[in-house]
Amino acid sequence: MTEKVHRLGLLSMFVFLLIVLLGAWFAGRDKSDSEGGTRFLIGISQPNLSDPWHVALNEEVKEEVDKHNDIRVIFTDAAQSSAQQKEDIRHLVGYGVDLLVVSLDDPAALTATVAEVYRKIPVIVLGRGVTGYDYTLYIGTDNEVVGQKAGEFAAETLKGRKGTIVEVQGFGDSPTVQERSLGFREAIAGSNLEVTHVVNSDWQRDRAEDQLTDLLAKDGNVDLIFAHSESMALGAYRALKNTGRMNIDIIGIDGVTTKTGGSPYVSERQLIGMVRSPTGGREAIQYALDILNKEKGIPKKVILRSRLVTSDTESGDGADGKAAPPDRNGKETLKLGFAQVGSESGWRIAHTNSVIGAAKDAGIELLFRNADQSQERQFESIREFIRQRVDVIAFSPKTETGWEEVLSEAKDAGIPVILSDREVKVKDDSLWTAYIGSDFREEGRRAARWLTEQADREPDRVYRIVELQGTPDSAPALGRKKGFEELIRDDDRFAYAASLEGDFTKRSGKELMAEALEKFGKSIDVVYAHNDDMALGAIEAIEAYGLKPGKDILLISVDATKSAMDALSIGKLNLVVECNPLLGPQLMKAVKDVSQGKDLPMKIITSEGVFTQELVKQVKRNREY
Ligand code: AHR
């Protein structure tokens, strides 16, 4: 037995060294004579190379690496074993890689290993990711959106019919699977479609084939199979062949086996649709270089665009939601139209200054309009920019809804639109090119996470919360509420005294808090304000009522502007969740890229922190806003 283990150990060591040598040779071939030598060594750890998605990832990485003379990559393949992948990662780190790129199948098994590496070197997580935030950068798709697209297509395909669906999932407890499943189910809710069976095939083609062959042999009543990956969709396809059930439709995810993002089987019409989930291999190398070169403003998440490929669109419209690069007509200076929402908060002033300053630094001509909290005025500004034929339009939408018409006009005029700081909700996501800003839902979760940690220290206590919401229907108000509620909803220790609609101003925070105190008085335990200005207003109201903010009532806020950090350092606030307004430089980079016809990620999510009274002293001096 021991001898067998010893032999296995030697074998895996040998395989690893072989992969290292082959990987280094493969990625570095033709470069041995290049000047300057290797500056950076990057490790790429893959869970398997049997899934076409992982193979495509390596190919994209190689293509991108070939453009640089000074980087080398080492690839490892864990052959479907999480234990082996842990070993691979340790070997890569021991081998001295400067940065690790990791893609994994089983987050439960690998999250701790990735976190450990992140304490030593930068880590980029790709696609089916880890849980938590212990990594430098995540690149992948928005899995809920991916699931939604698949669900909408299923509902459209089986329109009006009663449809029975089998869902074929990867590892059941991974966030990727949960989010894809949630999006799919949300999209079919209210239709006659029903997911009657869930099969767990661990992302593997052969497993999906076996399990579905068994299931179909027993159950005649299946109309559609929704498979969470291309390889499992191919397994499903084989199961249909095995059982002679070619009347069942399949929808898959990934679409990496052809250039257009489809699959040979999509054109055969059995696999009726594939929601594309790009691998991010190219972006991983580009960002790896930025990280290793210590560039500023590295985002926390880069979300790539996914699109549905069907047998009708298989030839590929090539658009991927991307507007054609603007016709520059020989002009040298780029013209950017920016429709700002207003000047409601300290955060907003910092955001405006960042946009104006960055445009100047980048040599971009900026047409800046401030809508003073009027959506109508934002429409007018965007239409004015279209008339003036700007190269790119950017704006911070007041609300999530109501933008279809004006964005369609911009699309028809061929002008790309970038959302700066706030998102919109439109059915056709090709109406906008990219979003650069925060993950507001995560900000809400962070606020709630801290509160639950406080509550853990004082069992048996109930917390009565007053929530001061931002502008109704705005992305930050919706996201911060949703994320916060996600964590406290089912916890008996928390109850809302009131959740009041404000508008992100200090005045509204003060007025709403005074009303709440009038009604609930000393029974209020916690104030959760959707931004610093409202929290600062609430502090004034609490003091006027004769209570001590931060002591008699706990206060949580979002933004981390200087004035809030001051309040935190003197104990009047208890927690500040960061929301970064310094988005100008990233916006100008995106404006330049899109004007040169480069692909932009769908979303670039900024990296942000959380500040307690203990932490604030260390960071206050370095704050830029
Ligand atoms: O959209 C970002 C939010 O808008 C900020 O958190 C808030 O202060 C602002 O006005």
Side-chain angles (χ1 to χ4, degrees):
M1 176 71 178
T2 350
E3 202 190 321
K4 199 171 161 196
V5 170
H6 181 66
R7 256 189 279 130
L8 273 176
L10 281 177
L11 187 67
S12 74
M13 190 65 181
F14 174 72
V15 170
F16 172 77
L17 280 174
L18 197 65
I19 291 167
V20 164
L21 292 171
L22 280 175
W25 170 78
F26 198 36
R29 70 198 191 285
D30 300 329
K31 298 207 190 99
S32 41
D33 295 330
S34 67
E35 282 170 21
T38 304
R39 266 178 77 214
F40 300 124
L41 187 60
I42 298 173
I44 315 275
S45 161
Q46 291 263 36
N48 67 70
L49 287 180
S50 51
D51 184 327
W53 190 88
H54 292 293
V55 176
L57 195 166
N58 275 6
E59 267 152 24
E60 257 191 54
V61 165
K62 279 177 218 150
E63 243 175 63
E64 194 58 31
V65 166
D66 276 344
K67 297 181 188 158
H68 305 271
N69 284 327
D70 53 355
I71 50 177
R72 297 281 183 275
V73 284
I74 304 173
F75 297 96
T76 59
D77 164 13
Q80 209 66 56
S81 152
S82 295
Q84 181 59 50
Q85 193 167 10
K86 281 187 202 173
E87 274 300 292
D88 290 350
I89 291 173
R90 284 200 185 103
H91 283 309
L92 287 170
V93 175
Y95 196 74
V97 296
D98 300 295
L99 179 144
L100 174 72
V101 176
V102 59
S103 166
L104 46 95
D105 278 350
D106 184 359
L110 266 307
T111 293
T113 308
V114 170
E116 193 186 315
V117 176
Y118 173 59
R119 286 193 276 276
K120 299 178 194 137
I121 55 170
V123 180
I124 299 180
V125 177
L126 287 188
R128 303 161 197 166
V130 293
T131 47
Y133 278 81
D134 286 337
Y135 50 78
T136 313
L137 168 66
Y138 165 82
I139 303 176
T141 42
D142 180 330
N143 287 304
E144 214 172 307
V145 170
V146 167
Q148 247 160 29
K149 289 195 182 210
E152 280 162 11
F153 185 56
E156 192 187 307
T157 308
L158 301 177
K159 194 154 52 215
R161 280 162 50 194
K162 202 168 161 348
T164 304
I165 300 174
V166 178
E167 184 179 348
V168 187
Q169 301 186 343
F171 279 100
D173 56 359
S174 92
T176 307
V177 168
Q178 285 158 8
E179 286 159 17
R180 286 181 182 179
S181 188
L182 180 76
F184 185 83
R185 281 155 198 259
E186 272 172 5
I188 62 165
S191 70
N192 283 336
L193 310 187
E194 195 190 347
V195 177
T196 49
H197 298 87
V198 174
V199 173
N200 223 301
S201 301
D202 296 350
W203 304 111
Q204 295 177 42
R205 184 195 64 192
D206 296 348
R207 215 175 145 137
E209 178 183 348
D210 294 347
Q211 288 171 316
L212 288 167
T213 303
D214 281 356
L215 190 144
L216 294 174
K218 282 186 223 132
D219 193 335
N221 189 20
V222 175
D223 299 294
L224 186 135
I225 296 173
F226 164 47
H228 281 217
S229 73
E230 180 164 343
S231 58
M232 295 190 296
L234 296 182
Y237 177 75
R238 290 178 174 201
L240 299 194
K241 282 200 154 166
N242 297 344
T243 51
R245 301 286 302 278
M246 301 306 275
N247 58 331
I248 298 174
D249 292 326
I250 305 170
I251 297 177
I253 296 176
D254 283 350
V256 290
T257 50
T258 66
K259 277 270 178 242
T260 52
S263 149
Y265 301 93
V266 172
S267 22
E268 280 187 37
R269 289 191 173 266
Q270 200 62 52
L271 233 150
I272 57 167
M274 184 74 87
V275 185
R276 229 187 142 190
S277 176
T279 69
R282 180 168 54 93
E283 291 81 358
I285 296 303
Q286 291 167 350
Y287 277 106
L289 281 174
D290 287 352
I291 293 167
L292 292 167
N293 284 321
K294 306 229 173 322
E295 303 235 337
K296 274 185 157 184
I298 302 295
K300 189 71 190 176
K301 287 187 179 180
V302 168
I303 306 297
L304 305 172
R305 194 174 283 273
S306 53
R307 91 187 149 101
L308 176 73
V309 182
T310 66
S311 36
D312 297 334
T313 61
E314 169 67 341
S315 54
D317 57 10
D320 256 355
K322 186 177 74 164
D327 178 6
R328 309 283 335 280
N329 216 358
K331 283 183 295 148
E332 296 228 318
T333 312
L334 281 171
K335 210 189 249 188
L336 166 69
F338 192 97
Q340 182 58 290
V341 59
S343 319
E344 71 282 5
S345 61
W347 188 100
R348 184 64 55 197
I349 310 291
H351 178 239
T352 293
N353 291 340
S354 171
V355 170
I356 294 175
K360 203 164 160 231
D361 291 349
I364 291 175
E365 184 185 341
L366 178 69
L367 308 185
F368 187 88
R369 301 269 183 284
N370 192 324
D372 208 10
Q373 299 302 321
S374 152
Q375 187 178 30
E376 279 303 320
R377 269 199 286 273
Q378 284 196 297
F379 292 161
E380 281 163 23
S381 303
I382 293 171
R383 292 197 168 109
E384 175 60 23
F385 297 150
I386 297 173
R387 274 194 295 280
Q388 295 208 27
R389 302 282 329 145
V390 299
D391 298 295
V392 180
I393 292 172
F395 75 117
S396 299
K398 180 186 175 200
T399 54
E400 272 198 352
T401 54
W403 300 98
E404 270 83 1
E405 207 179 311
V406 74
L407 291 185
S408 302
E409 290 168 30
K411 187 176 177 185
D412 292 345
I415 302 178
V417 173
I418 299 177
L419 307 172
S420 173
D421 135 61
R422 293 185 183 181
E423 290 192 64
V424 294
K425 202 178 211 157
V426 285
K427 194 148 184 17
D428 174 6
D429 63 23
S430 75
L431 292 181
W432 51 276
T433 303
Y435 163 75
I436 303 173
S438 308
D439 181 343
F440 297 127
R441 198 155 140 196
E442 179 55 25
E443 288 172 355
R445 287 193 202 110
R446 287 177 176 178
R449 220 169 271 139
W450 177 83
L451 186 58
T452 53
E453 279 162 22
Q454 299 308 301
D456 290 343
R457 293 189 198 149
E458 277 187 274
D460 305 328
R461 183 171 166 196
V462 172
Y463 291 79
R464 282 167 58 87
I465 303 167
V466 169
E467 181 179 36
L468 303 177
Q469 298 178 33
T471 308
D473 192 32
S474 69
L478 294 168
R480 287 169 190 166
K481 183 166 184 51
K482 198 168 178 182
F484 188 76
E485 281 176 2
E486 240 172 63
L487 270 77
I488 60 155
R489 199 174 28 219
D490 301 321
D491 193 329
D492 294 343
R493 295 173 300 174
F494 306 107
Y496 276 116
S499 180
L500 307 167
E501 278 182 2
D503 59 7
F504 288 123
T505 62
K506 186 171 177 188
R507 184 190 38 78
S508 81
K510 189 171 178 176
E511 283 171 12
L512 293 173
M513 193 61 217
E515 271 171 41
L517 283 162
E518 202 56 50
K519 225 165 160 185
F520 306 105
K522 288 185 175 166
S523 72
I524 300 168
D525 300 288
V526 181
V527 172
Y528 168 43
H530 283 193
N531 83 337
D532 287 347
D533 294 73
M534 288 195 297
L536 295 171
I539 289 176
E540 287 183 8
I542 293 170
E543 285 175 336
Y545 191 79
L547 292 175
K548 286 202 174 65
K551 295 203 171 56
D552 298 324
I553 299 180
L554 298 179
L555 272 118
I556 305 171
S557 173
V558 188
D559 276 354
T561 51
K562 273 188 181 145
S563 3
M565 297 298 258
D566 286 342
L568 185 64
S569 64
I570 55 169
K572 292 190 180 187
L573 272 170
N574 302 81
L575 182 83
V576 177
V577 178
E578 188 179 29
C579 176
N580 191 344
L582 307 178
L583 304 173
Q586 291 192 59
L587 173 62
M588 299 313 147
K589 182 177 182 306
V591 168
K592 285 187 175 169
D593 284 351
V594 78
S595 303
Q596 288 163 10
K598 288 192 194 158
D599 275 336
L600 290 187
M602 188 180 189
K603 296 184 191 178
I604 300 173
I605 308 291
T606 37
S607 182
E608 292 164 345
V610 168
F611 304 110
T612 57
Q613 291 174 345
E614 294 74 45
L615 274 177
V616 69
K617 297 188 179 83
Q618 301 163 24
V619 292
K620 227 180 88 184
R621 248 173 289 122
N622 306 324
R623 302 295 296 167
E624 285 180 57
Y625 60 97

